[in-house]
Structure formats: C-alpha cells, structure tokens
Amino acid sequence: MDTSQALRLRLRFYKDLEEPIDEVRQKFEDQAQTSSKDYKIKICENHIWFYVIGAKKQYWSPHLHIELEPKENHTHIRGLFGPDQTLWTLFMFLHFVVAGIFTIFGMILYSNIRLKQPYVFDLVVMVLMTIVWFLLYFIARQIRFNGNGQMDELEALFLKILK
C-alpha cells in the first residue's frame, strides 16, 4: 500500500484469502506466541492488533487492526492503520473542543449581529478556530508521515504471517 499518496489519515485495505478463517486465525496465533522485541500481536476472536513496542515505539507509532470475516470457504480481511489510541483520543478531544468553541462563538456572533452589538471579537475567534482545525489536520498528516516506515514494517509482518 502506498502510504504517502492517500488522503485519509487512517489507511484501510482489504484482502481475500482462499483459506478458512480458522486456519488464518491460527497463523496469527502462532506468530503471537513467538516473542518479538519490536512488535506485539493481540488477538480477540476475529480481531487482531499489531503494535510497535520497545525501543522502536514513538508517540507517532501506528498500530494495525485486522478484522477477519468468514465468507464461503474463504476469509475476507479488513485492515486499518491508525495512530496510538491515546494520541487518537487526544486529537478527537481537541477537535471537539475546537468545534464547541466555534459553535458557541458562532451563536454569540449571530446574536451580536441581530442586536447590532460589536462582533469583531467573535469573528476573530471563529477564524482562529478554523485555522486551528487546519493546523490539527496538518499535524496529523505529519504524524502519519513520520509513521509511514513503521506502517510498512507492520504490513510486511502481516504479509509474512499470511504466507
């Protein structure tokens, strides 16, 4: 997967295998039993998570979530790359704060316009929140760019397990 060309912040992929789901899951369980100083594999039913651990782990290190879906005698795999859950939660929190401030000052702006009161401050805050939204997006793009190498490593480990 070409991680540098996608617009999305959380990259997805799909793969079909001609093997039944139990055999595919067993491959991942076998790999999870072998210890690695760089990667951890966590399995819960048909969901598999790959994490970067140890000295390679950075705040921008991605994780890979795999979901196995049974189809008629074969397995459909859905993959999703994402940032660390703590970082993702922080970014979602910041987006909600920015959206809340934008909405509140939008209502105050409307009220001040209707009441013929000064509204420059409200307009400035709304413009600043729009700039912060774009800034958050570009920071997230940079974090994903920093993690591209590790995304490729996680994908290579995933493909190695499937062979």
Side-chain angles (χ1 to χ4, degrees), residues 30-91:
D30 293 343
Q31 181 67 32
Q33 298 302 322
T34 63
S35 63
S36 170
K37 62 179 170 71
D38 295 331
Y39 304 104
K40 178 182 175 188
I41 299 174
K42 181 180 170 187
I43 300 171
C44 182
E45 295 181 10
N46 291 344
H47 296 271
I48 302 162
W49 291 270
F50 291 76
Y51 297 100
V52 177
I53 60 171
K56 291 181 95 173
K57 180 161 177 58
Q58 302 291 326
Y59 73 92
W60 41 260
S61 292
H63 76 275
L64 172 59
H65 173 235
I66 303 291
E67 183 178 358
L68 306 176
E69 295 180 352
K71 300 284 182 178
E72 304 163 5
N73 273 349
H74 69 277
T75 305
H76 179 70
I77 298 176
R78 297 169 167 264
L80 174 65
F81 287 100
D84 183 64
Q85 289 89 348
T86 307
L87 184 63
W88 183 257
T89 303
L90 172 67
F91 265 82

Side-chain angles (χ1 to χ4, degrees), residues 4 21-22 77 81 87 100 111 117 132 135 139 147:
S4 62
I21 193 168
D22 295 329
I77 298 176
F81 287 100
L87 184 63
S111 297
Q117 298 290 325
V132 169
L135 184 64
I139 290 170

